[in-house]
mmCIF file of all heavy atoms in Angstrom:
data_model
loop_
_atom_site.group_PDB
_atom_site.id
_atom_site.type_symbol
_atom_site.label_atom_id
_atom_site.label_comp_id
_atom_site.label_asym_id
_atom_site.label_seq_id
_atom_site.Cartn_x
_atom_site.Cartn_y
_atom_site.Cartn_z
ATOM 1 N N GLU A 123 85.332 105.347 26.509
ATOM 2 C CA GLU A 123 86.067 106.597 26.283
ATOM 3 C C GLU A 123 86.571 107.189 27.598
ATOM 4 O O GLU A 123 87.678 107.733 27.651
ATOM 5 C CB GLU A 123 85.186 107.613 25.548
ATOM 6 C CG GLU A 123 85.006 107.293 24.086
ATOM 7 C CD GLU A 123 86.329 107.229 23.329
ATOM 8 O OE1 GLU A 123 87.190 108.112 23.508
ATOM 9 O OE2 GLU A 123 86.507 106.273 22.554
ATOM 10 N N THR A 124 85.778 107.088 28.668
ATOM 11 C CA THR A 124 86.207 107.616 29.964
ATOM 12 C C THR A 124 87.448 106.885 30.456
ATOM 13 O O THR A 124 88.400 107.514 30.933
ATOM 14 C CB THR A 124 85.070 107.490 31.001
ATOM 15 O OG1 THR A 124 83.927 108.182 30.513
ATOM 16 C CG2 THR A 124 85.479 108.058 32.342
ATOM 17 N N ILE A 125 87.452 105.564 30.334
ATOM 18 C CA ILE A 125 88.632 104.773 30.739
ATOM 19 C C ILE A 125 89.834 105.190 29.899
ATOM 20 O O ILE A 125 90.937 105.407 30.413
ATOM 21 C CB ILE A 125 88.362 103.256 30.591
ATOM 22 C CG1 ILE A 125 87.262 102.795 31.538
ATOM 23 C CG2 ILE A 125 89.635 102.440 30.775
ATOM 24 C CD1 ILE A 125 87.626 102.790 32.996
ATOM 25 N N LYS A 126 89.617 105.336 28.599
ATOM 26 C CA LYS A 126 90.697 105.710 27.688
ATOM 27 C C LYS A 126 91.233 107.112 28.008
ATOM 28 O O LYS A 126 92.442 107.331 28.017
ATOM 29 C CB LYS A 126 90.172 105.652 26.249
ATOM 30 C CG LYS A 126 91.217 105.710 25.194
ATOM 31 C CD LYS A 126 90.563 105.511 23.834
ATOM 32 C CE LYS A 126 91.566 105.615 22.728
ATOM 33 N NZ LYS A 126 90.932 105.479 21.406
ATOM 34 N N ASN A 127 90.338 108.059 28.305
ATOM 35 C CA ASN A 127 90.742 109.431 28.617
ATOM 36 C C ASN A 127 91.508 109.521 29.935
ATOM 37 O O ASN A 127 92.275 110.461 30.135
ATOM 38 C CB ASN A 127 89.533 110.357 28.648
ATOM 39 C CG ASN A 127 88.920 110.550 27.277
ATOM 40 O OD1 ASN A 127 89.573 110.326 26.259
ATOM 41 N ND2 ASN A 127 87.662 110.939 27.245
ATOM 42 N N ARG A 128 91.305 108.574 30.814
ATOM 43 C CA ARG A 128 92.041 108.541 32.085
ATOM 44 C C ARG A 128 93.390 107.844 31.943
ATOM 45 O O ARG A 128 94.074 107.613 32.928
ATOM 46 C CB ARG A 128 91.214 107.830 33.149
ATOM 47 C CG ARG A 128 89.988 108.583 33.571
ATOM 48 C CD ARG A 128 89.236 107.846 34.636
ATOM 49 N NE ARG A 128 88.110 108.633 35.106
ATOM 50 C CZ ARG A 128 87.357 108.300 36.122
ATOM 51 N NH1 ARG A 128 87.585 107.183 36.773
ATOM 52 N NH2 ARG A 128 86.357 109.064 36.486
ATOM 53 N N GLY A 129 93.748 107.473 30.736
ATOM 54 C CA GLY A 129 95.040 106.834 30.500
ATOM 55 C C GLY A 129 94.998 105.321 30.609
ATOM 56 O O GLY A 129 96.039 104.666 30.639
ATOM 57 N N GLY A 130 93.807 104.758 30.656
ATOM 58 C CA GLY A 130 93.664 103.312 30.786
ATOM 59 C C GLY A 130 93.395 102.631 29.454
ATOM 60 O O GLY A 130 93.123 103.278 28.447
ATOM 61 N N ARG A 131 93.502 101.319 29.496
ATOM 62 C CA ARG A 131 93.221 100.500 28.319
ATOM 63 C C ARG A 131 92.413 99.298 28.779
ATOM 64 O O ARG A 131 92.462 98.922 29.939
ATOM 65 C CB ARG A 131 94.526 99.996 27.688
ATOM 66 C CG ARG A 131 95.500 101.085 27.337
ATOM 67 C CD ARG A 131 96.853 100.527 26.981
ATOM 68 N NE ARG A 131 97.526 100.033 28.184
ATOM 69 C CZ ARG A 131 98.776 99.607 28.226
ATOM 70 N NH1 ARG A 131 99.496 99.580 27.137
ATOM 71 N NH2 ARG A 131 99.323 99.192 29.345
ATOM 72 N N PHE A 132 91.683 98.688 27.861
ATOM 73 C CA PHE A 132 91.026 97.418 28.140
ATOM 74 C C PHE A 132 91.957 96.327 27.637
ATOM 75 O O PHE A 132 92.322 96.311 26.461
ATOM 76 C CB PHE A 132 89.670 97.328 27.429
ATOM 77 C CG PHE A 132 88.584 98.073 28.139
ATOM 78 C CD1 PHE A 132 88.387 99.425 27.910
ATOM 79 C CD2 PHE A 132 87.762 97.425 29.046
ATOM 80 C CE1 PHE A 132 87.402 100.120 28.564
ATOM 81 C CE2 PHE A 132 86.766 98.113 29.707
ATOM 82 C CZ PHE A 132 86.582 99.464 29.470
ATOM 83 N N LEU A 133 92.368 95.442 28.538
ATOM 84 C CA LEU A 133 93.304 94.382 28.174
ATOM 85 C C LEU A 133 92.623 93.019 28.256
ATOM 86 O O LEU A 133 91.833 92.764 29.164
ATOM 87 C CB LEU A 133 94.516 94.403 29.108
ATOM 88 C CG LEU A 133 95.314 95.708 29.186
ATOM 89 C CD1 LEU A 133 96.499 95.544 30.125
ATOM 90 C CD2 LEU A 133 95.781 96.153 27.816
ATOM 91 N N VAL A 134 92.953 92.165 27.301
ATOM 92 C CA VAL A 134 92.473 90.788 27.299
ATOM 93 C C VAL A 134 93.677 89.865 27.308
ATOM 94 O O VAL A 134 94.750 90.207 26.823
ATOM 95 C CB VAL A 134 91.564 90.491 26.081
ATOM 96 C CG1 VAL A 134 90.264 91.266 26.167
ATOM 97 C CG2 VAL A 134 92.265 90.792 24.780
ATOM 98 N N LYS A 135 93.497 88.680 27.868
ATOM 99 C CA LYS A 135 94.582 87.712 27.978
ATOM 100 C C LYS A 135 94.804 87.027 26.635
ATOM 101 O O LYS A 135 93.865 86.613 25.975
ATOM 102 C CB LYS A 135 94.198 86.686 29.041
ATOM 103 C CG LYS A 135 95.333 85.936 29.654
ATOM 104 C CD LYS A 135 96.173 86.815 30.501
ATOM 105 C CE LYS A 135 96.814 86.007 31.604
ATOM 106 N NZ LYS A 135 97.898 86.698 32.223
ATOM 107 N N ASP A 136 96.065 86.934 26.233
ATOM 108 C CA ASP A 136 96.450 86.220 25.022
ATOM 109 C C ASP A 136 97.653 85.362 25.382
ATOM 110 O O ASP A 136 98.741 85.899 25.587
ATOM 111 C CB ASP A 136 96.794 87.201 23.902
ATOM 112 C CG ASP A 136 97.196 86.502 22.616
ATOM 113 O OD1 ASP A 136 96.685 85.394 22.363
ATOM 114 O OD2 ASP A 136 98.031 87.043 21.881
ATOM 115 N N LYS A 137 97.449 84.074 25.493
ATOM 116 C CA LYS A 137 98.485 83.143 25.945
ATOM 117 C C LYS A 137 98.877 83.497 27.377
ATOM 118 O O LYS A 137 98.051 83.416 28.261
ATOM 119 C CB LYS A 137 99.671 83.125 24.995
ATOM 120 C CG LYS A 137 99.303 82.694 23.584
ATOM 121 C CD LYS A 137 100.484 82.730 22.675
ATOM 122 C CE LYS A 137 100.025 82.425 21.252
ATOM 123 N NZ LYS A 137 101.028 82.636 20.273
ATOM 124 N N SER A 138 100.088 83.919 27.602
ATOM 125 C CA SER A 138 100.542 84.212 28.962
ATOM 126 C C SER A 138 100.716 85.699 29.216
ATOM 127 O O SER A 138 101.337 86.093 30.184
ATOM 128 C CB SER A 138 101.872 83.504 29.225
ATOM 129 O OG SER A 138 101.699 82.117 29.182
ATOM 130 N N TRP A 139 100.216 86.542 28.332
ATOM 131 C CA TRP A 139 100.377 87.977 28.513
ATOM 132 C C TRP A 139 99.100 88.689 28.105
ATOM 133 O O TRP A 139 98.154 88.087 27.627
ATOM 134 C CB TRP A 139 101.570 88.505 27.714
ATOM 135 C CG TRP A 139 101.580 88.048 26.289
ATOM 136 C CD1 TRP A 139 100.912 88.611 25.244
ATOM 137 C CD2 TRP A 139 102.268 86.911 25.759
ATOM 138 N NE1 TRP A 139 101.142 87.902 24.096
ATOM 139 C CE2 TRP A 139 101.976 86.847 24.385
ATOM 140 C CE3 TRP A 139 103.103 85.949 26.302
ATOM 141 C CZ2 TRP A 139 102.489 85.869 23.554
ATOM 142 C CZ3 TRP A 139 103.612 84.971 25.477
ATOM 143 C CH2 TRP A 139 103.310 84.938 24.123
ATOM 144 N N TRP A 140 99.087 89.983 28.329
ATOM 145 C CA TRP A 140 97.932 90.816 28.021
ATOM 146 C C TRP A 140 98.147 91.534 26.697
ATOM 147 O O TRP A 140 99.271 91.844 26.338
ATOM 148 C CB TRP A 140 97.724 91.859 29.120
ATOM 149 C CG TRP A 140 97.432 91.270 30.455
ATOM 150 C CD1 TRP A 140 98.328 91.051 31.457
ATOM 151 C CD2 TRP A 140 96.183 90.816 30.928
ATOM 152 N NE1 TRP A 140 97.699 90.481 32.531
ATOM 153 C CE2 TRP A 140 96.369 90.327 32.234
ATOM 154 C CE3 TRP A 140 94.908 90.767 30.385
ATOM 155 C CZ2 TRP A 140 95.341 89.816 32.999
ATOM 156 C CZ3 TRP A 140 93.881 90.249 31.149
ATOM 157 C CH2 TRP A 140 94.099 89.779 32.438
ATOM 158 N N VAL A 141 97.059 91.781 25.982
ATOM 159 C CA VAL A 141 97.091 92.600 24.776
ATOM 160 C C VAL A 141 95.948 93.609 24.851
ATOM 161 O O VAL A 141 94.938 93.368 25.517
ATOM 162 C CB VAL A 141 96.975 91.765 23.475
ATOM 163 C CG1 VAL A 141 98.192 90.892 23.280
ATOM 164 C CG2 VAL A 141 95.718 90.941 23.458
ATOM 165 N N VAL A 142 96.118 94.724 24.182
ATOM 166 C CA VAL A 142 95.085 95.759 24.172
ATOM 167 C C VAL A 142 93.921 95.280 23.314
ATOM 168 O O VAL A 142 94.100 94.841 22.176
ATOM 169 C CB VAL A 142 95.649 97.086 23.618
ATOM 170 C CG1 VAL A 142 94.569 98.147 23.547
ATOM 171 C CG2 VAL A 142 96.813 97.559 24.467
ATOM 172 N N ALA A 143 92.714 95.354 23.887
ATOM 173 C CA ALA A 143 91.511 94.959 23.155
ATOM 174 C C ALA A 143 91.143 96.043 22.159
ATOM 175 O O ALA A 143 91.331 97.232 22.429
ATOM 176 C CB ALA A 143 90.365 94.733 24.126
ATOM 177 N N ASP A 144 90.627 95.642 21.014
ATOM 178 C CA ASP A 144 90.172 96.639 20.051
ATOM 179 C C ASP A 144 88.927 97.319 20.621
ATOM 180 O O ASP A 144 88.276 96.785 21.520
ATOM 181 C CB ASP A 144 89.898 95.998 18.689
ATOM 182 C CG ASP A 144 88.776 94.986 18.739
ATOM 183 O OD1 ASP A 144 89.046 93.811 19.050
ATOM 184 O OD2 ASP A 144 87.623 95.376 18.474
ATOM 185 N N PRO A 145 88.584 98.510 20.150
ATOM 186 C CA PRO A 145 87.469 99.271 20.732
ATOM 187 C C PRO A 145 86.139 98.522 20.763
ATOM 188 O O PRO A 145 85.387 98.619 21.732
ATOM 189 C CB PRO A 145 87.375 100.514 19.845
ATOM 190 C CG PRO A 145 88.751 100.684 19.294
ATOM 191 C CD PRO A 145 89.294 99.293 19.132
ATOM 192 N N ASP A 146 85.839 97.748 19.714
ATOM 193 C CA ASP A 146 84.573 97.010 19.696
ATOM 194 C C ASP A 146 84.541 95.926 20.776
ATOM 195 O O ASP A 146 83.507 95.698 21.403
ATOM 196 C CB ASP A 146 84.337 96.385 18.321
ATOM 197 C CG ASP A 146 84.022 97.438 17.273
ATOM 198 O OD1 ASP A 146 83.407 98.465 17.637
ATOM 199 O OD2 ASP A 146 84.390 97.238 16.102
ATOM 200 N N THR A 147 85.669 95.261 20.988
ATOM 201 C CA THR A 147 85.753 94.249 22.038
ATOM 202 C C THR A 147 85.600 94.898 23.408
ATOM 203 O O THR A 147 84.914 94.376 24.283
ATOM 204 C CB THR A 147 87.088 93.485 21.958
ATOM 205 O OG1 THR A 147 87.197 92.884 20.663
ATOM 206 C CG2 THR A 147 87.178 92.413 23.022
ATOM 207 N N ALA A 148 86.221 96.055 23.605
ATOM 208 C CA ALA A 148 86.101 96.776 24.875
ATOM 209 C C ALA A 148 84.647 97.160 25.130
ATOM 210 O O ALA A 148 84.132 96.989 26.238
ATOM 211 C CB ALA A 148 86.989 98.007 24.856
ATOM 212 N N ARG A 149 83.952 97.671 24.111
ATOM 213 C CA ARG A 149 82.552 98.035 24.267
ATOM 214 C C ARG A 149 81.703 96.816 24.594
ATOM 215 O O ARG A 149 80.796 96.864 25.416
ATOM 216 C CB ARG A 149 82.019 98.717 23.002
ATOM 217 C CG ARG A 149 80.660 99.381 23.241
ATOM 218 C CD ARG A 149 79.817 99.472 21.989
ATOM 219 N NE ARG A 149 79.441 98.194 21.442
ATOM 220 C CZ ARG A 149 78.443 97.426 21.913
ATOM 221 N NH1 ARG A 149 77.759 97.792 22.963
ATOM 222 N NH2 ARG A 149 78.147 96.287 21.339
ATOM 223 N N GLU A 150 82.025 95.697 23.951
ATOM 224 C CA GLU A 150 81.288 94.456 24.210
ATOM 225 C C GLU A 150 81.494 93.999 25.664
ATOM 226 O O GLU A 150 80.568 93.530 26.312
ATOM 227 C CB GLU A 150 81.735 93.369 23.238
ATOM 228 C CG GLU A 150 80.978 92.076 23.364
ATOM 229 C CD GLU A 150 79.499 92.195 23.044
ATOM 230 O OE1 GLU A 150 79.127 93.045 22.219
ATOM 231 O OE2 GLU A 150 78.713 91.445 23.632
ATOM 232 N N LYS A 151 82.715 94.163 26.181
ATOM 233 C CA LYS A 151 82.997 93.806 27.578
ATOM 234 C C LYS A 151 82.162 94.662 28.536
ATOM 235 O O LYS A 151 81.636 94.178 29.522
ATOM 236 C CB LYS A 151 84.485 93.962 27.899
ATOM 237 C CG LYS A 151 85.397 93.053 27.116
ATOM 238 C CD LYS A 151 85.271 91.645 27.581
ATOM 239 C CE LYS A 151 86.240 90.743 26.829
ATOM 240 N NZ LYS A 151 86.017 89.343 27.094
ATOM 241 N N VAL A 152 82.039 95.953 28.229
ATOM 242 C CA VAL A 152 81.221 96.842 29.058
ATOM 243 C C VAL A 152 79.756 96.416 28.985
ATOM 244 O O VAL A 152 79.065 96.353 30.002
ATOM 245 C CB VAL A 152 81.389 98.313 28.615
ATOM 246 C CG1 VAL A 152 80.431 99.222 29.358
ATOM 247 C CG2 VAL A 152 82.822 98.768 28.813
ATOM 248 N N SER A 153 79.290 96.085 27.793
ATOM 249 C CA SER A 153 77.909 95.645 27.612
ATOM 250 C C SER A 153 77.627 94.369 28.402
ATOM 251 O O SER A 153 76.581 94.246 29.050
ATOM 252 C CB SER A 153 77.640 95.433 26.125
ATOM 253 O OG SER A 153 76.334 94.998 25.911
ATOM 254 N N VAL A 154 78.550 93.430 28.362
ATOM 255 C CA VAL A 154 78.396 92.177 29.104
ATOM 256 C C VAL A 154 78.402 92.450 30.612
ATOM 257 O O VAL A 154 77.633 91.849 31.369
ATOM 258 C CB VAL A 154 79.503 91.163 28.715
ATOM 259 C CG1 VAL A 154 79.558 89.998 29.670
ATOM 260 C CG2 VAL A 154 79.283 90.684 27.296
ATOM 261 N N ALA A 155 79.232 93.393 31.044
ATOM 262 C CA ALA A 155 79.264 93.745 32.464
ATOM 263 C C ALA A 155 77.923 94.332 32.900
ATOM 264 O O ALA A 155 77.429 94.028 33.994
ATOM 265 C CB ALA A 155 80.404 94.719 32.735
ATOM 266 N N PHE A 156 77.302 95.155 32.055
ATOM 267 C CA PHE A 156 75.971 95.683 32.369
ATOM 268 C C PHE A 156 74.950 94.550 32.446
ATOM 269 O O PHE A 156 74.094 94.541 33.324
ATOM 270 C CB PHE A 156 75.524 96.708 31.324
ATOM 271 C CG PHE A 156 75.931 98.116 31.634
ATOM 272 C CD1 PHE A 156 76.590 98.876 30.684
ATOM 273 C CD2 PHE A 156 75.645 98.693 32.859
ATOM 274 C CE1 PHE A 156 76.964 100.186 30.948
ATOM 275 C CE2 PHE A 156 76.009 100.002 33.135
ATOM 276 C CZ PHE A 156 76.669 100.748 32.175
ATOM 277 N N ARG A 157 75.033 93.605 31.519
ATOM 278 C CA ARG A 157 74.103 92.475 31.536
ATOM 279 C C ARG A 157 74.248 91.676 32.825
ATOM 280 O O ARG A 157 73.262 91.307 33.464
ATOM 281 C CB ARG A 157 74.354 91.567 30.324
ATOM 282 C CG ARG A 157 73.371 90.412 30.234
ATOM 283 C CD ARG A 157 73.840 89.330 29.304
ATOM 284 N NE ARG A 157 75.031 88.717 29.869
ATOM 285 C CZ ARG A 157 75.951 88.079 29.167
ATOM 286 N NH1 ARG A 157 75.845 87.993 27.868
ATOM 287 N NH2 ARG A 157 76.984 87.534 29.754
ATOM 288 N N ASP A 158 75.504 91.424 33.244
ATOM 289 C CA ASP A 158 75.736 90.678 34.485
ATOM 290 C C ASP A 158 75.218 91.445 35.696
ATOM 291 O O ASP A 158 74.659 90.848 36.618
ATOM 292 C CB ASP A 158 77.222 90.365 34.645
ATOM 293 C CG ASP A 158 77.733 89.390 33.594
ATOM 294 O OD1 ASP A 158 76.893 88.726 32.932
ATOM 295 O OD2 ASP A 158 78.963 89.297 33.422
ATOM 296 N N MET A 159 75.401 92.762 35.694
ATOM 297 C CA MET A 159 74.878 93.581 36.792
ATOM 298 C C MET A 159 73.349 93.508 36.827
ATOM 299 O O MET A 159 72.754 93.430 37.899
ATOM 300 C CB MET A 159 75.316 95.032 36.642
ATOM 301 C CG MET A 159 76.764 95.270 36.981
ATOM 302 S SD MET A 159 77.224 96.995 36.760
ATOM 303 C CE MET A 159 76.504 97.690 38.235
ATOM 304 N N ARG A 160 72.727 93.546 35.651
ATOM 305 C CA ARG A 160 71.270 93.471 35.587
ATOM 306 C C ARG A 160 70.771 92.134 36.118
ATOM 307 O O ARG A 160 69.795 92.077 36.867
ATOM 308 C CB ARG A 160 70.800 93.698 34.143
ATOM 309 C CG ARG A 160 69.295 93.827 34.018
ATOM 310 C CD ARG A 160 68.837 94.102 32.589
ATOM 311 N NE ARG A 160 69.186 92.998 31.706
ATOM 312 C CZ ARG A 160 70.097 93.072 30.719
ATOM 313 N NH1 ARG A 160 70.745 94.180 30.507
ATOM 314 N NH2 ARG A 160 70.342 92.028 29.965
ATOM 315 N N LYS A 161 71.453 91.061 35.769
ATOM 316 C CA LYS A 161 71.065 89.738 36.273
ATOM 317 C C LYS A 161 71.190 89.674 37.785
ATOM 318 O O LYS A 161 70.320 89.149 38.477
ATOM 319 C CB LYS A 161 71.930 88.642 35.638
ATOM 320 C CG LYS A 161 71.568 88.335 34.216
ATOM 321 C CD LYS A 161 72.461 87.233 33.677
ATOM 322 C CE LYS A 161 72.142 86.893 32.249
ATOM 323 N NZ LYS A 161 73.033 85.850 31.730
ATOM 324 N N ALA A 162 72.286 90.202 38.316
ATOM 325 C CA ALA A 162 72.486 90.206 39.765
ATOM 326 C C ALA A 162 71.434 91.075 40.445
ATOM 327 O O ALA A 162 70.922 90.730 41.510
ATOM 328 C CB ALA A 162 73.889 90.706 40.106
ATOM 329 N N TYR A 163 71.094 92.188 39.820
ATOM 330 C CA TYR A 163 70.118 93.113 40.378
ATOM 331 C C TYR A 163 68.731 92.469 40.431
ATOM 332 O O TYR A 163 68.025 92.576 41.424
ATOM 333 C CB TYR A 163 70.098 94.382 39.532
ATOM 334 C CG TYR A 163 69.277 95.510 40.101
ATOM 335 C CD1 TYR A 163 69.730 96.247 41.183
ATOM 336 C CD2 TYR A 163 68.048 95.846 39.541
ATOM 337 C CE1 TYR A 163 69.001 97.291 41.699
ATOM 338 C CE2 TYR A 163 67.306 96.888 40.049
ATOM 339 C CZ TYR A 163 67.785 97.604 41.128
ATOM 340 O OH TYR A 163 67.045 98.632 41.640
ATOM 341 N N THR A 164 68.351 91.788 39.356
ATOM 342 C CA THR A 164 67.022 91.163 39.324
ATOM 343 C C THR A 164 66.960 89.934 40.221
ATOM 344 O O THR A 164 65.914 89.621 40.749
ATOM 345 C CB THR A 164 66.614 90.784 37.884
ATOM 346 O OG1 THR A 164 67.607 89.931 37.335
ATOM 347 C CG2 THR A 164 66.445 92.012 37.033
ATOM 348 N N SER A 165 68.086 89.270 40.401
ATOM 349 C CA SER A 165 68.068 88.075 41.269
ATOM 350 C C SER A 165 67.930 88.452 42.738
ATOM 351 O O SER A 165 67.580 87.623 43.558
ATOM 352 C CB SER A 165 69.322 87.237 41.055
ATOM 353 O OG SER A 165 70.448 87.904 41.558
ATOM 354 N N GLN A 166 68.176 89.722 43.078
ATOM 355 C CA GLN A 166 67.998 90.175 44.455
ATOM 356 C C GLN A 166 66.536 90.366 44.793
ATOM 357 O O GLN A 166 66.186 90.629 45.931
ATOM 358 C CB GLN A 166 68.752 91.489 44.695
ATOM 359 C CG GLN A 166 70.236 91.338 44.652
ATOM 360 C CD GLN A 166 70.937 92.684 44.766
ATOM 361 O OE1 GLN A 166 70.310 93.735 44.741
ATOM 362 N NE2 GLN A 166 72.247 92.648 44.894
ATOM 363 N N GLY A 167 65.679 90.261 43.790
ATOM 364 C CA GLY A 167 64.249 90.340 44.050
ATOM 365 C C GLY A 167 63.708 91.753 44.083
ATOM 366 O O GLY A 167 62.710 92.021 44.729
ATOM 367 N N ASP A 168 64.357 92.677 43.391
ATOM 368 C CA ASP A 168 63.853 94.036 43.330
ATOM 369 C C ASP A 168 62.531 94.036 42.575
ATOM 370 O O ASP A 168 62.458 93.614 41.429
ATOM 371 C CB ASP A 168 64.867 94.939 42.612
ATOM 372 C CG ASP A 168 64.363 96.355 42.479
ATOM 373 O OD1 ASP A 168 63.870 96.889 43.493
ATOM 374 O OD2 ASP A 168 64.470 96.914 41.376
ATOM 375 N N SER A 169 61.468 94.502 43.213
ATOM 376 C CA SER A 169 60.150 94.455 42.597
ATOM 377 C C SER A 169 60.052 95.350 41.382
ATOM 378 O O SER A 169 59.220 95.133 40.517
ATOM 379 C CB SER A 169 59.091 94.843 43.624
ATOM 380 O OG SER A 169 59.342 96.166 44.081
ATOM 381 N N GLY A 170 60.909 96.368 41.296
ATOM 382 C CA GLY A 170 60.864 97.269 40.155
ATOM 383 C C GLY A 170 61.448 96.659 38.904
ATOM 384 O O GLY A 170 61.146 97.090 37.811
#
Side-chain angles (χ1 to χ4, degrees):
E123 285 301 315
T124 302
I125 296 290
K126 193 175 178 182
N127 292 339
R128 292 181 176 187
R131 305 169 288 187
F132 281 86
L133 303 182
V134 293
K135 202 69 151 164
D136 180 31
K137 300 178 186 171
S138 296
W139 49 84
W140 298 97
V141 293
V142 178
D144 63 273
D146 290 328
T147 302
R149 193 207 64 79
E150 184 63 30
K151 297 288 183 189
V152 174
S153 179
V154 167
F156 271 129
R157 183 196 66 204
D158 293 344
M159 286 179 77
R160 188 178 63 248
K161 285 181 180 179
Y163 188 74
T164 57
S165 69
Q166 292 175 353
D168 178 47
S169 61

